[in-house]
């Protein structure tokens, strides 16, 4: 069993053993936030690099890398969304990007409503509901107490519920 202490000391094999099982959940989180496969892959790759660079600064009492790493992923996604080119509409490429009814059907009211929430609320909802993380790990990832996380989650769901019930022109 590989320990976090080994990875903190610079052992690349230990780091890879710890980070590898987190890649898929990290990709799911990045894709949920960015909604583009390539952008999500790039964000996760950049997050792994940042995690490797910062592993030595991790607190010795840290028991799990998952909340810490998912925080790095979420922050990387935020940086990507702030980027100058994020708002540029990608050019249609090939038949898989062509306009079709199924693509429209996949864009649900729920997804649009989630994307209209602020970044903090989106990350909270994705971590708790999409990745099914326990409340304590969500709290660690956000850097707040479990009780504060519970309150923020309740309010975020309330804001989401409001957006889903109000007519679109009022949101």
């Amino acid at each position: 069993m590989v320990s976090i202490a080994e990875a903190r000391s610079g052992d690349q094999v230990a780091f890879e053993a710890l980070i590898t099982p987190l890649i898929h959940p990290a990709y799911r989180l990045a894709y949920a936030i960015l909604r583009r496969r390539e952008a999500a892959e790039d964000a996760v790759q950049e997050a792994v690099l940042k995690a490797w660079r910062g592993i030595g600064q991790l607190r010795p009492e840290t028991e799990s890398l998952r909340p810490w790493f998912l925080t790095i992923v979420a922050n990387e996604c935020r940086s990507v969304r702030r980027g100058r080119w994020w708002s540029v509409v990608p050019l249609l490429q090939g038949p898989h990007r062509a306009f079709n009814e199924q693509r429209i059907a996949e864009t649900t009211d729920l997804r649009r409503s989630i994307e209209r929430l602020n970044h903090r609320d989106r990350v909270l909802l994705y971590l708790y509901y999409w990745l099914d993380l326990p409340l304590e790990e969500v709290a660690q990832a956000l850097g707040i107490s479990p009780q504060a996380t519970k309150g923020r989650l309740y309010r975020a769901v309330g804001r989401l519920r409001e957006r889903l019930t109000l007519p679109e022109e009022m949101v």
Side-chain angles (χ1 to χ4, degrees):
M1 184 80 179
V2 179
S3 73
I4 294 175
E6 292 174 80
R8 284 184 64 238
S9 70
D11 185 343
Q12 184 177 350
V13 174
F15 176 78
E16 288 176 13
L18 292 169
I19 210 77
T20 299
L22 303 177
I23 297 296
H24 184 69
Y27 173 77
R28 288 179 59 202
L29 175 62
Y31 184 79
I33 294 171
L34 300 173
R35 304 305 305 159
R36 295 183 189 163
R37 184 180 57 81
E38 296 85 3
E41 289 170 352
D42 290 346
V44 171
Q45 185 175 12
E46 188 64 29
V48 169
L49 184 59
K50 287 180 179 181
W52 171 246
R53 289 178 182 154
I55 191 80
Q57 299 169 358
L58 198 59
R59 291 188 214 136
E61 66 271 9
T62 303
E63 296 177 15
S64 171
L65 285 185
R66 186 164 65 171
W68 175 73
F69 181 62
L70 293 177
T71 300
I72 295 171
V73 172
N75 288 337
E76 184 60 30
C77 291
R78 178 188 291 173
S79 295
V80 168
R81 287 187 68 120
R82 280 190 208 149
R84 180 173 180 255
W85 292 103
W86 183 255
S87 61
V88 176
V89 177
L91 297 174
L92 295 176
Q93 299 171 352
H96 67 283
R97 302 285 253 160
F99 175 82
N100 64 42
E101 292 181 44
Q102 181 177 355
R103 200 142 166 88
I104 291 174
E106 290 173 359
T107 308
T108 64
D109 289 338
L110 177 61
R111 181 172 291 149
R112 283 188 298 231
S113 295
I114 289 172
E115 289 181 5
R116 287 187 186 125
L117 293 173
N118 66 47
H119 177 76
R120 189 177 72 183
D121 286 348
R122 276 194 318 269
V123 169
L124 175 64
L125 293 171
Y126 288 137
L127 289 172
Y128 187 73
Y129 290 108
W130 183 274
L131 292 179
D132 200 28
L133 292 182
L135 206 54
E136 293 76 25
E137 286 192 26
V138 174
Q140 276 185 305
L142 298 176
I144 57 178
S145 72
Q147 195 61 28
T149 303
K150 197 173 190 179
R152 283 188 187 177
L153 184 62
Y154 177 80
R155 289 187 297 276
V157 168
R159 285 188 284 275
L160 181 59
R161 188 173 286 125
E162 285 175 14
R163 290 184 177 278
L164 288 170
T165 57
L166 289 175
E168 193 166 311
E169 60 272 1
M170 300 198 54
V171 176

